[in-house]
Amino acid sequence: MLKWALIFFVISLVAGFLGFSGISEATAGIAKILFYIAVLIFLVFLILALMVGGAVT
């Protein structure tokens, strides 16, 4: 998911450099949403791993 966020971020930078501000804003928004989803998934798995790790020992 972070890979796709980085791809959309690069597209946003290129579009902004070329003067396509609408496309740049849209792809930056998509990249931001994908980044936050990836962080949320990471935190959920981190909490689950800590809970399972505590139950095993």
Side-chain angles (χ1 to χ4, degrees), residues 4-46:
W4 282 104
L6 182 62
I7 290 170
F8 277 106
F9 178 69
V10 170
I11 291 172
S12 175
L13 288 177
V14 171
F17 180 73
L18 295 176
F20 298 109
S21 61
I23 295 172
S24 177
E25 291 176 21
T27 54
I30 293 171
K32 195 181 299 185
I33 290 169
L34 289 175
F35 174 75
Y36 288 134
I37 290 173
V39 169
L40 180 69
I41 290 172
F42 169 75
L43 290 175
V44 167
F45 280 125
L46 180 66

